Amino acid sequence: MPGPTVVLVHGAFADASGFAGVIRELESAGHTVLAPPNPLRGVAYDAGVVSNVVKAIDGPVVLVGHSYGGAVIGQASAGLENVTGLVFLAAFGLEVGESCVTVQQPFPPPLLAKTVAPTSYDAHGTAGGPDVYVHKEQFRETFCADVPVDMADVMFATQRPLAFAALNENATAAGWMGATTETIDGSHTAFIAKPVAVATFIRQALR
């Protein structure tokens, strides 16, 4: 039987290209990897997209979510029989009834709360409200402080805005299980600066 397929789900303000280093590491070790686009429209909608991708895979799957992508894989995995493991990379792991906003309320506001801004237009594909994005001036400090400045500039220019409504949408399912945790010293996007360490962490779930 083939090993599990790794499905990488990016979070807000990013796209799947950020997983390039991790994909190279995993594929060089013989693993099959997919990194589909995450629409960033809302937890249930995005989970439905990821669910369709996983259902089309013949065999076991390990889902990997970064940041907001963790909320998506937690929701999606609850209804997927072929998901054998979940990996959360600096990610939200929501209980039913929790949102990305409510789980942060007991803690001091993150830097992102000061550096994110709404668009002047409503988010396409949602019931209402704006998209949100990170200001250029503090993008690297907020999001990817351990990558070179020129790379951070590209990441800013290509950032994928998140529908503001997605941050307040409650999870209606939770497929996550018992957890093994590991600390990797790095920024919020440590998987870009340290793909070997992150791929090694993912391979623990594959085993």
Side-chain angles (χ1 to χ4, degrees):
M1 293 290 291
T5 296
V6 181
V7 176
L8 304 168
V9 180
H10 67 83
F13 319 120
D15 63 26
S17 66
F19 288 121
V22 173
I23 292 170
R24 284 194 292 268
E25 291 295 324
L26 292 173
E27 289 190 338
S28 67
H31 303 292
T32 301
V33 185
L34 292 175
N38 181 0
L40 305 179
R41 300 297 83 191
V43 175
Y45 181 88
D46 299 339
V49 172
V50 170
S51 178
N52 286 338
V53 171
V54 174
K55 288 175 182 176
I57 296 172
D58 184 14
V61 169
V62 167
L63 277 170
V64 180
H66 170 246
S67 192
Y68 165 79
V72 174
I73 68 169
Q75 172 96 8
S77 60
L80 297 171
E81 295 182 357
N82 59 332
V83 172
T84 59
L86 302 173
V87 178
F88 295 82
L89 303 176
F92 291 99
L94 303 180
E95 292 271 18
V96 173
E98 290 181 333
S99 73
C100 294
V101 168
T102 60
V103 295
Q104 298 181 79
Q105 287 175 346
F107 307 100
L111 179 60
L112 181 66
K114 300 177 182 178
T115 60
V116 73
T119 58
S120 59
Y121 49 84
D122 280 352
H124 184 72
T126 65
D131 275 324
V132 290
Y133 65 97
V134 183
H135 281 300
K136 183 175 184 178
E137 292 75 15
Q138 293 175 289
F139 183 86
R140 182 171 181 264
E141 179 187 5
T142 302
F143 197 60
C144 53
D146 51 2
V147 305
V149 172
D150 59 345
M151 182 181 291
D153 287 343
V154 172
M155 291 171 65
F156 165 78
T158 59
Q159 70 171 298
R160 295 268 313 278
L162 172 73
F164 179 75
L167 295 171
N168 292 284
E169 183 178 341
N170 293 336
T172 58
W176 51 272
M177 318 144 204
T180 298
T181 59
E182 182 170 328
T183 300
I184 297 173
D185 186 20
S187 73
H188 188 56
T189 57
F191 61 92
I192 296 175
K194 299 185 177 181
V196 175
V198 172
T200 299
F201 179 53
I202 292 171
R203 291 180 69 189
Q204 292 181 30
L206 293 170
R207 290 193 293 267

